[in-house]
């Protein structure tokens, strides 16, 4: 049994952090482990007298699976701080928080992005992108089992963490201080996800849940038919992209009617009302086994899960190009997302002697089927009620295979190596838009009368909708594809010098090769008469699928004679490059020394050399390419002082970098389906450099109970920011990118975790005898300021092809930062205040929990205020108001029919907090860029383990 326990410990840990920011939890399986646990490792392997076998009042905990770069110590050396720190154990110098499987289960979140919002200093912004201490997702890196992840998002190089279901994640580690074993792109922190690996015993688990959203379920929403396999998130060929579309950039730019007729029509064009949107559901099956093979042991684990959810947003979308906030556009939009996620995991682990091998394979398929209707009577040069409809399909896929080997060559020398290949794809065929105008007369002057029966609320059309040349084009279709390959390899070695004061020397090498190809082919519908012309009467009164029927395609101007004109597609590249290729090659090496300077004081000093070559090559334009070749020495040092048996101080200093993301550099337009906004890259961006300082006090006053207090400071040279801009009086708000001369960010964190035994308060009660109350609270205060002086920086509102003189004497496409930004404004994405509170009751002997979760994030800037059309002044920043969110999660275990059943009930967003993104002008007028209600979500789930 001792051999089995040691193997399980090593295999589950896989690798430990060089820093050594490794962690595990000892003892057997049982009730949930502690939440967001700062972790430490013992360099000596000495026993922790306060982490011995649990007493009757201790909560038993399952091991936490962590796989990350480097290794420094055996699995048996690893202990959890959160039990009083003895003098013989020096805490890890890095500040690390961990969510174990049990911690994630307590939050009840369905994806890892939601669970991470419970960690001190973390917030999630738009579509699952994690912000650490107010720094945007571009300043945070995401790893899977210690290897970098490619992103399926055209907008970012970072991966949205909401695509990772909690069912396949064994732990989530957040390291907020830099250590040189990690890639140099480390601003706010690194998030390392460890997939579930080798089980302690054979098991099979099945589960399912059903949920209702009171803003969506059984309510009005939009949809469209699509293909027969849409309900499982896969296209059945309905949206297959024909060769003449792919080859359009090499042709005349015109797709004739005969080829237009070959495109999928009614199934992708006809927007339909659904007054009874269905409930959300999810299901999972997983299993694992452990086998003895001679003196070795082999473990296998597999998981398969799927989910299908609906979300409807009834949004107000406004904008203004005036200094006083006078509205230019005021749209009401109803948008329904149907998100279907399927994922699979297969992992194998082999332990032979004191060595381990681990092979992990992950597959995630995430599809968003979107239907959108938008209407306005107020828009630029308004001429009546306007209605836009969109039907979209966004299909994302991530595949990764990893091989990790950990070898103990001698008692002093340990080596681990890891290699990974990952591929991500994003396909968005048939992004369709149609633009109709309500008019009381036809385009040839005939009057139209309405019977007044609209069969719908909201805007009423006193006449009939028709496509006209008032909106050019009257219809469009877009085909987008993204493919990214990522190869990584890393080798780490550590050697322990056995002296009076042990010294551990570590070194490693890292290689990364990323290649991306992204294309976006935009086509506008027009008649063969050109110039964005629309079909003639009476065909222009038809709904979209009839409008594109063969009779209309081949006879679009019936009043002018049969076949007088046809409908064709015009290939449109006015919005920049139709395609870009990108690559990033990184070579890095590091050395590090860790030693005890004197009793109780531990030092880690290291330096990383990193060389990067980043290229973005656009197609269809004669300029706009970027190549950034830079190399850096990135030092990092940390001191940890254990000045009392249960207290310690830490201080850390490091230099790190942040490279521009591919999409930030690419001069290609893209619509983000989540924010419903257009983005455009900037080829003039440069690397950011960060200088990081941190100090932290920790007091572990009882087992699993702690108080921590930290302060941090960061200076960022050339921080990259999102900037709103308008290309003209008729255009919608777009988002571009630029960098500022510098910025600073500073703040503090405080965290408390405390348990209260209820048996003492309710003496004699069998119910409360084994139960305890839980209080976990953390607060982060962050402040940031940008510097906007006379330094020339890229002007995102200027066409990247421009060769004219920049603003105020700056070079082409540049302008003084002081004319483009407000000096002293906060960084985008940064909230001054983040608060998380968990209050609950849980049983120490069996699974029985009820937890109330409170989350608050103060206002944060999502885009720098767009410049006014004159170019010399700018509007107020666009600010998101996250507000308060309250959730309730209850879990109860039941033993039945030889299995262990878990029943989980959840109530989300009990405050019904709305999403609100707006500008507030000096006059007090508020312009709602994007505002909609978020529903309360109620779910019930059951799982069984045998």
């Amino acid at each position: 049994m001792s051999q089995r326990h040691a193997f399980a410990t090593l295999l589950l840990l896989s690798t430990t952090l060089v820093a050594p920011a490794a962690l595990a939890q000892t003892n057997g399986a049982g009730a949930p482990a502690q939440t967001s646990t700062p972790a430490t490792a013992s360099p000596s392997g000495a026993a922790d007298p306060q982490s011995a076998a649990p007493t009757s009042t201790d909560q038993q905990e399952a091991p936490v699976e962590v796989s990350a770069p480097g290794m420094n110590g055996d699995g048996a050396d690893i202990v959890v701080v959160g039990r009083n720190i003895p003098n013989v154990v020096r805490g890890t110098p890095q500040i690390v928080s961990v969510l174990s499987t049990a911690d994630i289960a307590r939050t009840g979140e369905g994806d890892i992005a939601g669970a991470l919002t419970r960690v001190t200093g973390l917030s999630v912004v738009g579509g699952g992108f994690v912000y650490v201490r107010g720094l945007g997702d571009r300043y945070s890196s995401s790893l899977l089992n210690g290897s970098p992840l490619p992103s399926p998002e055209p907008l970012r190089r970072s991966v949205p963490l909401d695509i990772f279901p909690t069912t396949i994640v064994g732990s989530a580690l957040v390291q907020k201080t830099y250590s040189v074993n990690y890639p140099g792109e480390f601003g706010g922190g690194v998030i390392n996800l460890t997939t579930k690996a080798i089980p302690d015993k054979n098991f099979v688990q099945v589960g399912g849940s059903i949920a209702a959203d009171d803003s969506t379920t059984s309510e009005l929403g939009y949809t469209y038919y699509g293909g027969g396999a849409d309900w499982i998130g896969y296209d059945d060929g309905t949206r297959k992209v024909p060769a003449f579309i792919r080859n359009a950039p090499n042709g005349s730019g015109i797709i004739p009617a005969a080829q237009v007729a070959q495109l999928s029509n009614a199934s992708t064009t006809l927007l339909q009302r659904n007054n009874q949107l269905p409930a959300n559901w999810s299901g999972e099956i997983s299993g694992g086994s452990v086998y003895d093979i001679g003196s070795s042991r082999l473990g296998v684990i597999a998981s398969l899960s799927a989910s299908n959810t609906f979300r409807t947003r009834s949004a107000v979308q406004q904008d203004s190009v005036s200094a006083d906030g006078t509205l230019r556009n005021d749209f009401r939009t109803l948008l329904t997302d149907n998100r279907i996620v399927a994922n699979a995991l297969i992992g194998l682990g082999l332990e032979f002697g004191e060595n381990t091998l681990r092979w992990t394979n992950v597959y995630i398929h995430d599809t968003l089927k979107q239907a959108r209707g938008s209407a306005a009577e107020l828009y630029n040069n308004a001429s009546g009620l306007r209605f836009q409809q969109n039907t979209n399909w966004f299909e994302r896929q991530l595949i990764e295979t990893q091989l990790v080997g950990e070898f103990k060559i001698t008692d002093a020398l340990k080596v681990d190596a890891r290699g990974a290949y990952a591929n991500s794809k994003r396909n968005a065929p048939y992004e369709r838009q149609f633009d109709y105008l309500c008019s009381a007369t036809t385009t040839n002057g005939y009057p139209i009368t309405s019977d007044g029966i609209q069969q719908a609320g909201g805007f009423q059309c006193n006449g009939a909708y028709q496509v006209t040349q008032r909106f050019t084009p009257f219809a469009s279709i877009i085909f987008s594809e993204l493919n990214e390959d990522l190869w990584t390899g890393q080798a780490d070695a550590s050697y322990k010098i056995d002296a009076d004061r042990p010294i551990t020397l570590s070194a490693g090498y890292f290689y990364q090769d990323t290649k991306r190809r992204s294309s976006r082919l935009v086509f506008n519908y027009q008649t063969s008469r050109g110039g964005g012309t629309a079909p003639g009467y009476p065909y222009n009164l038809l709904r979209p699928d009839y409008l594109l029927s063969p009779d209309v395609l081949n006879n679009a101007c019936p009043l002018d004679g049969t076949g007088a004109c046809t409908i064709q597609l015009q290939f449109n590249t006015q919005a920049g490059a139709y395609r870009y290729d990108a690559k990033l090659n990184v070579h890095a090496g590091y050395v590090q020394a860790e030693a005890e300077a004197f009793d109780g004081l531990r030092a880690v000093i290291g330096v990383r050399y990193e060389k990067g070559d980043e290229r973005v090559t656009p197609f269809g334009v004669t300029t706009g390419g970027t190549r950034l070749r830079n190399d850096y020495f990135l030092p990092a040092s940390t001191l940890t002082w254990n000045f009392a048996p249960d207290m310690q101080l830490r201080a850390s200093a490091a230099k790190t970098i942040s490279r521009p993301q591919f999409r930030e550099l690419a001069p290609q337009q893209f619509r983000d389906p989540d924010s419903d906004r257009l983005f455009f890259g900037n080829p003039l961006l440069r690397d950011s450099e960060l200088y990081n300082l941190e100090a932290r006090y920790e007091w572990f006053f009882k087992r699993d109970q702690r108080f921590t207090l930290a302060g941090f400071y960061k200076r960022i040279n050339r921080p990259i920011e999102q900037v709103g801009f308008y290309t003209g009086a008729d255009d919608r708000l777009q988002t571009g990118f630029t960098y500022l001369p510098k910025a600073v960010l500073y703040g503090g964190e405080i965290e408390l975790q405390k348990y209260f035994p209820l048996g003492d308060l309710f003496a004699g009660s069998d119910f409360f005898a084994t139960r305890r109350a839980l209080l976990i609270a953390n607060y982060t205060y962050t402040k940031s300021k940008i510097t906007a002086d006379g330094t020339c920086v890229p002007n995102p509102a200027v066409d990247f092809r421009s060769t004219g003189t920049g603003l105020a004497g700056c070079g082409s496409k540049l302008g003084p930062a002081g004319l483009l930004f407000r000096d002293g404004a906060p960084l985008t994405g940064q909230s001054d205040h983040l608060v998380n509170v968990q209050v609950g009751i849980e049983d120490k002997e069996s699974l029985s929990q009820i937890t109330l979760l409170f989350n608050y994030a103060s206002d944060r800037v999502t885009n720098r205020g767009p410049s006014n059309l004159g170019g010399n002044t700018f509007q107020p920043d666009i600010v998101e108001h996250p507000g308060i969110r309250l959730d309730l999660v209850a879990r109860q275990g039941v033993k039945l029919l030889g299995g262990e059943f878990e029943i989980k009930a959840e109530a989300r967003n009990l405050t019904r907090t709305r999403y609100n993104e707006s500008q507030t002008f000096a006059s007090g007028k508020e312009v709602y860029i994007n505002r909609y209600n978020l529903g309360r979500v109620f779910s019930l789930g059951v799982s069984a383990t045998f």
Side-chain angles (χ1 to χ4, degrees):
M1 291 301 292
S2 60
Q3 180 184 5
R4 180 186 179 99
H5 175 75
F7 164 70
T9 303
L10 284 169
L11 200 53
L12 286 170
L13 286 168
S14 182
T15 53
T16 64
L17 303 183
V18 167
L23 51 119
Q25 293 173 340
T26 57
N27 309 325
Q34 64 186 40
T35 300
S36 186
T37 307
T40 68
S42 165
S44 63
D48 178 357
Q50 302 193 49
S51 61
T55 66
S56 61
T57 59
D58 291 333
Q59 181 184 5
Q60 296 186 0
E61 299 161 353
V64 177
E65 305 171 58
V66 174
S67 178
M71 181 168 64
N72 185 27
D74 296 323
D77 292 339
I78 300 169
V79 299
V80 170
V81 173
R83 300 158 184 167
N84 297 9
I85 306 171
N87 291 329
V88 295
V89 177
R90 276 78 68 187
T92 174
Q94 308 306 330
I95 295 178
V96 177
S97 294
V98 176
L99 289 176
S100 68
T101 303
D103 302 328
I104 295 169
R106 182 187 286 119
T107 70
E109 298 285 355
D111 60 70
I112 200 62
L116 284 171
T117 60
R118 314 301 175 180
V119 175
T120 309
L122 268 63
S123 58
V124 175
V125 179
F129 294 94
V130 175
Y131 283 47
V132 181
R133 291 171 169 169
L135 286 174
D137 64 284
R138 65 175 326 283
Y139 293 106
S140 302
S141 58
S142 300
L143 308 177
L144 184 66
N145 297 325
S147 297
L149 285 164
S151 176
E153 283 294 335
L155 275 176
R156 297 170 166 93
R157 191 170 66 240
S158 55
V159 63
L161 296 182
D162 63 344
I163 70 173
F164 288 94
T166 54
T167 53
I168 71 169
V169 176
S171 71
L173 176 149
V174 181
Q175 183 170 319
K176 300 175 186 175
T177 55
Y178 179 63
S179 55
V180 296
N181 56 301
Y182 278 122
E185 288 198 73
F186 186 109
V190 63
I191 299 167
N192 183 64
L193 306 181
T194 299
T195 54
K196 295 181 178 178
I198 309 305
D200 290 329
K201 59 183 179 180
N202 298 344
F203 78 95
V204 174
Q205 183 182 66
V206 294
S209 69
I210 188 168
D213 181 332
D214 66 5
S215 286
T216 301
T217 308
S218 296
E219 298 292 335
L220 168 67
Y222 284 136
T223 186
Y224 66 98
Y225 181 77
D230 283 9
W231 70 279
I232 58 172
Y234 292 86
D235 182 59
D236 63 357
T238 298
R239 301 175 181 85
K240 184 179 180 180
V241 181
F244 63 82
I245 291 292
R246 298 184 184 276
N247 297 329
N250 303 318
S252 65
I254 298 296
I255 306 295
Q259 291 181 325
V260 175
Q262 298 177 36
L263 297 176
S264 172
N265 183 11
S267 59
T268 61
T269 59
L270 185 58
L271 189 69
Q272 296 174 302
R273 290 161 50 94
N274 186 335
N275 292 314
Q276 297 287 327
L277 287 173
N280 305 328
W281 62 265
S282 67
E284 179 215 2
I285 182 170
S286 60
S289 297
V290 180
Y291 305 93
D292 290 315
I293 306 175
S295 60
S296 303
R297 294 180 70 82
L298 174 69
V300 181
I301 191 169
S303 174
L304 179 66
S305 66
S307 65
N308 191 314
T309 61
F310 285 84
R311 180 179 69 155
T312 294
R313 291 172 280 173
S314 180
V316 177
Q317 297 177 321
Q318 303 171 334
D319 65 44
S320 172
V321 294
S322 304
D324 61 359
T326 300
L327 292 182
R328 182 189 62 158
N329 290 303
D330 187 7
F331 281 85
R332 299 297 182 270
T333 300
L334 185 68
L335 186 152
T336 300
D337 295 331
N338 180 203
R339 187 178 182 190
I340 310 102
V341 180
N343 62 81
L345 166 74
I346 299 178
L348 291 89
L350 177 67
E351 188 263 352
F352 53 101
E354 295 188 70
N355 309 302
T356 62
L357 290 175
R358 172 171 170 159
W359 184 32
T360 305
N361 302 273
V362 176
Y363 170 80
I364 299 174
H365 190 272
D366 186 344
T367 298
L368 182 68
K369 182 179 181 180
Q370 189 179 80
R372 175 181 182 272
S374 187
E377 293 178 327
L378 175 61
Y379 51 90
N380 195 51
N381 297 322
S383 55
L385 177 60
R386 180 181 185 179
F387 179 78
Q388 289 180 334
Q389 74 153 64
N390 299 76
T391 51
N392 302 315
W393 175 267
F394 305 101
E395 190 173 351
R396 303 183 295 183
Q397 179 177 288
L398 174 64
I399 298 174
E400 178 152 10
T401 182
Q402 304 174 333
L403 185 62
V404 176
E406 304 159 14
F407 309 98
K408 185 174 182 180
I409 310 302
T410 67
D411 288 342
L413 178 62
K414 302 178 181 66
V415 175
D416 77 274
R418 65 186 64 234
Y421 166 74
N423 172 264
S424 66
K425 298 180 186 295
R426 182 185 185 274
N427 295 324
Y430 287 87
E431 291 182 66
R432 288 190 178 273
Q433 176 172 304
F434 290 84
D435 218 330
Y436 283 84
L437 175 67
C438 174
S439 178
T441 60
T442 66
T443 50
N444 60 344
Y446 293 138
I448 301 174
T449 58
S450 172
D451 59 9
I453 303 175
Q454 301 286 323
Q455 297 183 354
F459 289 111
Q460 301 295 313
C461 177
N462 185 24
Y465 286 109
Q466 51 195 304
V467 294
T468 72
Q469 289 182 234
R470 170 64 183 87
F471 309 122
T472 302
F474 70 89
S476 64
I477 186 170
I478 303 171
F479 299 85
S480 301
E481 289 184 342
L482 180 146
N483 185 83
E484 182 168 308
D485 292 306
L486 173 61
W487 296 87
T488 58
Q490 181 159 346
D492 303 271
S494 65
Y495 184 79
K496 184 176 180 180
I497 300 174
D498 191 9
D500 291 338
R501 296 188 183 276
I503 300 174
T504 300
L505 302 178
S506 305
Y509 169 76
F510 172 80
Y511 170 73
Q512 174 182 337
D513 179 38
T514 308
K515 293 181 180 178
R516 172 185 285 193
R517 176 172 178 170
S518 175
S519 65
R520 187 173 190 264
L521 306 179
V522 181
F523 297 88
N524 294 336
Y525 283 91
Q526 63 179 27
T527 72
S528 53
R529 292 175 175 174
T533 51
Y537 174 82
Y539 291 156
N540 65 336
L541 294 168
L542 297 177
R543 71 189 199 189
D545 56 329
Y546 292 164
L547 191 64
L548 300 183
S549 64
D551 288 344
V552 179
L553 290 177
N554 296 304
N555 186 29
C557 307
L559 297 184
D560 296 337
T562 302
C565 73
T566 61
I567 292 180
Q568 60 188 17
L569 286 175
Q570 178 191 39
F571 179 54
N572 177 27
T573 59
Q574 295 179 1
Y578 70 86
R579 170 188 150 195
Y580 72 86
D581 290 351
K583 62 172 59 177
L584 173 64
N585 294 99
V586 177
H587 293 270
Y590 73 88
V591 293
Q592 181 176 264
E594 179 180 354
E596 187 179 27
F598 55 83
D599 288 345
L601 182 64
R602 185 178 179 189
V604 176
I605 300 175
V607 64
R608 183 183 186 92
Y609 173 75
E610 187 162 305
K611 182 178 181 180
D613 185 355
E614 184 174 13
R615 308 182 195 188
V616 174
T617 305
F619 291 78
V621 293
T622 57
T623 185
T626 302
R627 184 174 187 182
L628 299 174
R629 301 177 66 185
N630 296 299
D631 59 336
Y632 302 92
F633 283 97
L634 304 173
S637 63
T638 306
L639 296 176
T640 301
W641 180 29
N642 294 132
F643 62 91
D646 57 357
M647 297 182 187
Q648 62 185 13
L649 286 174
R650 293 173 177 167
S652 176
K655 177 184 177 182
T656 56
I657 60 171
S658 178
R659 297 183 178 92
Q661 301 180 34
F662 293 147
R663 189 59 192 88
E664 294 171 343
L665 291 168
Q668 185 187 75
Q669 193 179 78
F670 169 79
R671 180 178 292 278
D672 177 22
D674 192 73
S675 64
D676 200 24
R677 185 175 299 146
L678 291 171
F679 286 78
F680 203 90
N682 191 329
L684 301 180
L685 302 180
R686 298 166 60 190
D687 292 357
S688 303
E689 297 179 37
L690 297 92
Y691 299 86
N692 312 277
L693 297 173
E694 177 135 4
R696 184 179 179 94
Y697 162 77
E698 298 175 337
W699 176 27
F700 300 91
F701 48 89
K702 279 189 178 181
R703 181 187 296 269
D704 301 339
Q705 302 182 57
R706 63 185 179 271
F707 171 80
T708 64
L709 180 66
F712 53 88
Y713 174 87
K714 298 177 184 291
R715 192 189 80 195
I716 310 173
N717 292 342
R718 297 180 300 277
I720 294 173
E721 291 280 88
Q722 292 187 172
V723 185
F725 68 94
Y726 298 100
T727 55
D730 290 330
D731 295 329
R732 301 287 291 270
L733 176 68
Q734 296 189 37
T735 297
F737 303 92
T738 188
Y739 63 80
L740 294 153
K742 64 180 180 180
V744 296
L745 179 142
Y746 56 90
E749 296 176 346
I750 186 170
E751 181 180 17
L752 173 67
Q753 178 166 318
K754 175 68 177 173
Y755 292 103
F756 303 90
L758 297 178
D760 298 336
L761 293 176
F762 302 93
S765 170
D766 293 338
F767 179 82
F768 289 106
T770 59
R771 283 174 166 80
R772 62 181 182 178
L774 161 73
L775 172 63
I776 300 174
N778 58 67
Y779 167 70
T780 302
Y781 171 77
T782 309
K783 199 73 175 178
S784 63
K785 296 180 180 180
I786 63 173
T787 296
D789 52 21
T791 305
C792 294
V793 298
N795 186 348
V798 175
D799 193 305
F800 71 97
R801 293 162 289 201
S802 172
T803 58
T805 304
L807 290 175
C810 289
S812 179
K813 299 182 281 290
L814 303 177
L819 290 182
L820 300 174
F821 304 98
R822 189 173 293 101
D823 188 46
L827 288 164
T828 54
Q830 178 251 310
S831 291
D832 285 358
H833 308 281
L834 293 175
V835 180
N836 288 292
V837 179
Q838 297 182 42
V839 179
I841 298 176
E842 58 187 30
D843 195 318
K844 297 178 292 182
E845 303 297 333
S846 63
L847 176 57
S848 179
Q849 294 178 345
I850 183 167
T851 309
L852 185 68
L853 302 103
F854 171 91
N855 176 266
Y856 168 74
S858 62
D859 294 353
R860 56 191 173 216
V861 175
T862 57
N863 279 263
R864 296 264 77 92
S867 297
N868 288 314
L869 294 179
N872 291 322
T873 58
F874 41 82
Q875 295 182 350
D877 290 337
I878 299 173
V879 176
E880 179 190 350
H881 313 277
I884 293 173
R885 182 183 174 98
L886 197 63
D887 303 329
L888 183 66
V889 178
R891 303 169 64 218
Q892 180 64 50
V894 178
K895 291 185 178 180
L896 185 67
L897 302 175
E900 296 181 0
F901 288 76
E902 178 184 336
I903 303 171
K904 182 170 69 173
E906 303 175 38
R908 300 285 180 181
N909 192 29
L910 293 174
T911 53
R912 227 169 184 259
T913 301
R914 67 172 51 176
Y915 182 87
N916 187 4
E917 191 180 16
S918 65
Q919 292 174 283
T920 302
F921 288 79
S923 62
K925 183 175 180 56
E926 187 172 12
V927 175
Y928 298 111
I929 303 299
N930 204 5
R931 185 181 71 168
Y932 52 86
N933 290 327
L934 295 170
R936 291 172 296 218
V937 180
F938 302 92
S939 67
L940 180 65
V942 179
S943 65
T945 303
F946 298 94

